[in-house]
Amino acid sequence: MKNTKVCPKCSGDRIVVNERVGFRQKMYKGQDPFIAPLPVLVRKTSVPGLLFGSSEDVEEIGTFKSFTCGGCGYTELYAVNPGALL
């Protein structure tokens, strides 16, 4: 669908392109919601604590671009800059 601009399921040609795929996020009560990008890859690493134990550090890498058929709703997701994931 990305290259042909035709839906592989219904052969529709009304393709909607979304440059950034995300979800509504609200960090704190009372804060206005915002759109957080959906990451392609999430890496967790353990970080030693100052006195006891350890904590986790979370790194979100990459974003998605979507192509959705306006006729049947079939959607394909593609990673933006996939080389950065390696």
Side-chain angles (χ1 to χ4, degrees), residues 17-23 34-38 63-66 80:
V17 180
N18 186 355
E19 296 294 328
R20 188 177 90 163
V21 177
F23 56 95
F34 62 95
I35 303 298
L38 179 66
T63 58
F64 284 107
K65 183 176 187 177
S66 70
V80 176

Side-chain angles (χ1 to χ4, degrees), residues 44-47 54-58:
K44 285 185 177 182
T45 55
S46 182
V47 179
S54 62
S55 63
E56 286 186 342
D57 185 31
V58 177

Side-chain angles (χ1 to χ4, degrees), residues 23-65:
F23 56 95
R24 266 175 72 111
Q25 178 76 6
K26 190 172 173 179
M27 296 296 286
Y28 305 102
K29 188 175 181 176
Q31 179 189 29
D32 290 335
F34 62 95
I35 303 298
L38 179 66
V40 177
L41 178 65
V42 176
R43 288 189 183 132
K44 285 185 177 182
T45 55
S46 182
V47 179
L50 291 175
L51 298 175
F52 304 103
S54 62
S55 63
E56 286 186 342
D57 185 31
V58 177
E59 179 184 16
E60 296 179 348
I61 303 167
T63 58
F64 284 107
K65 183 176 187 177

